[in-house]
Amino acid sequence: MLTPTDNDYGTRPEKVPERRGSLWSDPEAEIRNLPGIGHKLAKKVVEDLGDGSAQAAIVMVERNPYNLTDVDGIGFKKADRIAREAYDIGPDDIRRHEAGNRFILEMRGVLNEREFFAERVKLELRDQNLKEHGVELEEGHYWLPEELDAELQLERWMRGLPRGEALQLADLSEDQTAVLDRMGADDQQRLAVRAILANRVLCFTGGAGTGKTFCVAAAMDCGIRQRWSARGMAFAGKAADRMREALDAYGVMAEATTIHKALGFQKKSFTVDVLGEKLYVIDEASMLPNWLLWAVIKRLPEDAHLVLVGDPNQLPPIGYGTPFVDLLKHGAPHVHLEKNYRQQDQQGILHMAEGILNRSRPAPAECVEMHLYVAPANLDSLFDSLIQKHGGPDYEGWQVITYTNEVAERYNLRAQAIVNPGGVALFEYPLWKLGTGERNRPLYHAEVREGDKVIVVKNSTTLGIFNGQTGRVLGLTSKAKIVQRKNSVTGHWEEQIGDVMPHLLVDITGREVAVPEDEVEKFIQLGYVITVHKAQGSDWPRVIVMQPGKVRDDTARKFFYTASTRAKNHLCIVSGLRVVAWWTNAATDAPDVPSTLMKRLAKAKPMFPCLNCGTPVAHLPHDGICWDCVSSMEGGLLVDPADLKDYEPEPGPEFDAAIERNGHARPLLPSEWEDVKHSATPATWRTLRQSAPVAAAEPHQTGEDSERIAAQFRALDVVW
DNA sequence: TATCCCCA
């Protein structure tokens, strides 16, 4: 079955070769002629599977046709059809089961046995002996192995974290105080900076407009003043770009990139093994799925500080897991900014957002327009009048936000008809969500005209544009296309001059960007109306939230909260629901079911006394030494070897190897630890006898200290 | 049962 994303609807190969066997002279044609693959997909197959070589791609496909699922735009079903029709692969081939099992879990996350079998039946995966191929079964649940590993590792890492009471505050040097004075930080923000500098791991939360980014920039600057190196990261390109702008604006000497870039993402994996900086700040952390957060944590140097900045009330990650929310629930060190700077003049929007979170209806306010219980027949005309009132040529000034792409596509056409009716049409793209007609063609197309408001829908490093940025179409120009080619000798990517072709000129945040004609459809769409996911991380003076019906219960509150808080001065809400139904929907959140990670953490684990300070902790990450001790260690461990003879670390090959190298089985000095830390997993070292003797305990922080700090924060309206 | 991210 063809999917709506298969937009190879027009072109067919000009020449149809007669037989596959005679095609070795033209391997690309062979790929193109596979069932369900056309021109465009064939190119991607060659690029993704063969690294540019069609011959190599064919070898990959012949070895295992299900390798095709690695190509963007090819799922299990399309690969399966090719495997069975073109390569005679039987229904119970191991490769088929492996790909099918993985496909199911890639779509659905973690499934129990019954759910998993139901999905297998749908894909006609019948042989029960092959039900675990490519996936892992753990206590009645099926997992992708890498997903299970990420979660187990996160669990281990979280058990080793200080919890709640361990929030610490750094003292600021004169230099640092001067920085904060110059930046104009208030007391709340100063405390946040001190917390960032003092805690190895810190969650940093606050709603839109509470100045999180400001604090982060200030903290990074202060870090740099004490000779730390610092780096900002974000999941999304646009968020990284915003952070970079903020750092530039405050004159902070630190880079900000996507996580993928920082970890050296290539093809399907990360190439950076250990990160080199001292302070890492991840923005929009609520967007991180388990695997990605773990990918960062496992690469952190041991003395690094990690700050996770986010708003747990915003939209959850697309992938599996909600590690940011889990960390907060688990009680990791946490600073919350309460005071809102941005919406101080527009308290109505703030109260609206609070109302959605707290299930309370705020008093009516001038800056919040509610249009509820709108009859379906009147939705369009109401929309039109709102655009006439709040829309206009100042595209930076307003934005319509929806939940689904279908609604976005529909109302983009209406908004365009009002705002830019007479612009010259420059190109068009298919509106797949508005339905498909015969022969799988889209029913509607959108015209992009001169003067239109547009949105970037995909990052391009070549063009320097990011998914989610909005802009204005300036016109057309003709110039040579710049293409990125991999130099076959050096292996580096290089910019080369390609064919001369028309380019679409777009003004994006004040910069003129020329998008080559053949890539416009990939990068540019109408931007009057966008989905909430694309709006995340941006704000506009006037926002219209256009959502005719109910939003699914488990997402509703996050959708309305995120969408409403995008507005700085004026907010319009449009819905067909009655007043009570709307408020019920808007305040409905997913039932508070603990994530699988939280369930793991809730299970009791044996406690072990730290060899250095004696504090019992569930996990001793550093060879019997707790996190706090290791982090405060400069010269070496103060452990008397005589006290250690009764310890019995867990046996195993890694442990044996480590003993052999070191000649003993006691916890290691930091210098020794350097030698074995890469080969001995912490799990190998962690099992210690509970009755073991312990060095004199000296807690790192008394209850009094933490109470004093808590009081300081409370006094400043900061919750932690 | 919808949403969507990442690179050389």
Side-chain angles (χ1 to χ4, degrees), chain A residues 157 201-205 280-283 285 288 293 297 306-310 324 327:
Chain A
W157 176 75
V201 174
L202 184 73
C203 293
F204 186 26
T205 61
Y280 284 94
V281 178
I282 303 185
D283 201 4
L288 299 185
L293 180 59
I297 289 168
L306 177 65
V307 184
L308 298 165
V309 187
F324 183 63
L327 266 168

Side-chain angles (χ1 to χ4, degrees), chain A residues 131-143:
Chain A
K131 64 177 192 259
E132 281 172 43
H133 267 269
V135 297
E136 220 161 298
L137 177 61
E138 187 217 31
E139 292 177 13
H141 289 267
Y142 284 87
W143 292 76

